[in-house]
Amino acid sequence: MRKPLIAGNWKMFKTVDEAINLTKSIKAGVYKVSDCDVVICPPFTALAAAAEVLKGGNIGLGAQNMFPETEGAYTGEISPIMIKELSCRYVILGHSERRQYFSETSTFINQKVKLALKYNLIPILCIGETLEERESNRHFEVVKEQFDESLADISAEEVVRGVIAYEPVWAIGTGKTASPEQAEQMHSYVRRLLNEKFGQEAAERVNILYGGSVKADNALSLMRKANVDGALVGGASLKAEAFAQIVQAAVDACSAEANK
Ligand code: 13P
């Protein structure tokens, strides 16, 4: 059985001082949790301060992006070595906001995934369709294309070190969550794609997170689904209490599964 993972994507929120306070509150809220991996992804500017607060605790740290080179003349960019130096173990790659506002393509994201793996970072690879793509019934095709291109030339040994997040763009920041059935349908499809490309053993090991308006009150019903292995949380990860409740929902969903 896969251990669930709840990751908080803070996006472009929180100054250093605010990040320290939020990290302390989250740490206090989940300090007893061991049956669920918990990760926070503050903005780059707050990573060092958050790492200091997280020292010796059970919460992992992640960055929200990185550039696919170790160093060079890339003004404004951050390399995998730099985020590792700040104690990051995870990195979110290919978020739809990066694809939309910064024109990131799956081919470019593939370079990032490869370099992240090379530097032993855990990539949280985001894929997901827009509303228009879903309404024109192209959501499976779009997700398959993003999957294939973002994971090109990756081996089964490598893919199991990463995490996939299905984030339908129409559910991000809109308050419109995918229903548990819609999420499960796409997650089981992604699991099938993993199986076809990397084999069953690898496919069974990869965590597939759901992201898009996950809140304390809808988290349990989503995570009760067999192929929903956790969540990538935006807005609700900025409130320590809500975030801790989502973590608890993941633990509850997992123990309900174990008792089946
Ligand atoms: P919201 O939870 O705010 O919808 O954001 C989801 C997301 O984009 C996480 O990466």
Side-chain angles (χ1 to χ4, degrees):
M1 208 164 78
R2 294 171 293 271
K3 188 177 185 183
L5 166 66
I6 301 295
N9 175 9
W10 292 11
K11 307 194 180 186
M12 199 176 71
F13 290 97
K14 304 299 172 189
T15 61
V16 173
D17 278 350
E18 290 166 349
I20 291 171
N21 288 335
L22 180 56
T23 306
K24 282 181 182 164
S25 307
I26 290 174
K27 193 177 176 185
V30 304
Y31 79 100
K32 282 192 202 145
V33 173
S34 61
D35 302 337
C36 174
D37 288 326
V38 181
V39 175
I40 58 168
C41 304
F44 288 130
T45 46
L47 285 173
E52 193 57 36
V53 177
L54 294 181
K55 254 186 200 163
N58 57 347
I59 303 177
L61 188 64
Q64 297 173 21
N65 183 30
M66 55 162 245
F67 192 75
E69 291 289 343
T70 51
E71 61 178 9
Y74 302 103
T75 303
E77 293 297 323
I78 305 278
S79 83
I81 296 175
M82 292 167 183
I83 58 177
K84 278 207 85 169
E85 189 184 27
L86 298 179
S87 309
C88 288
R89 283 184 46 227
Y90 294 80
V91 60
I92 299 173
L93 297 177
H95 192 280
S96 64
E97 287 149 16
R98 302 282 331 159
R99 295 176 190 260
Q100 187 181 348
Y101 304 128
F102 304 96
S103 309
E104 290 196 10
T105 62
S106 290
T107 310
F108 184 53
I109 294 157
N110 175 243
Q111 294 172 28
K112 299 186 182 202
V113 172
K114 285 182 190 157
L115 203 65
L117 288 165
K118 182 171 172 194
Y119 281 90
N120 267 326
L121 285 157
I122 300 172
I124 302 178
L125 168 67
C126 303
I127 51 180
E129 81 286 356
T130 63
L131 184 60
E132 192 202 337
E133 288 160 347
R134 178 165 280 262
E135 284 178 343
S136 54
N137 211 20
R138 288 173 46 229
H139 42 304
F140 291 112
E141 182 192 323
V142 167
V143 164
K144 179 175 173 13
E145 194 176 297
Q146 292 175 350
F147 176 96
D148 284 339
E149 289 177 7
S150 310
L151 294 173
D153 305 316
I154 303 272
S155 67
E157 291 70 33
E158 288 171 323
V159 83
V160 297
R161 295 198 275 122
V163 173
I164 294 178
Y166 168 58
E167 296 208 314
V169 180
W170 48 271
I172 296 177
T174 57
K176 229 190 195 183
T177 330
S179 68
E181 292 69 31
Q182 283 172 320
E184 176 60 16
Q185 192 185 33
M186 188 58 86
H187 283 228
S188 60
Y189 177 65
V190 173
R191 185 88 57 210
R192 208 172 82 208
L193 295 177
L194 282 165
N195 197 335
E196 283 165 11
K197 194 171 164 71
F198 302 103
Q200 194 185 351
E201 200 205 320
E204 288 302 322
R205 284 173 59 189
V206 177
N207 275 56
I208 306 175
L209 313 184
Y210 169 77
S213 297
V214 175
K215 305 275 180 270
D217 59 5
N218 61 24
L220 184 61
S221 59
L222 284 159
M223 284 182 290
R224 274 205 177 124
K225 294 293 178 188
N227 287 291
V228 180
D229 309 313
L232 183 54
V233 186
S237 73
L238 299 171
K239 295 175 201 112
E241 200 185 336
F243 190 63
Q245 285 168 353
I246 293 169
V247 171
Q248 189 55 46
V251 173
D252 292 347
C254 196
S255 61
E257 175 79 5
N259 291 331
K260 259 185 198 168

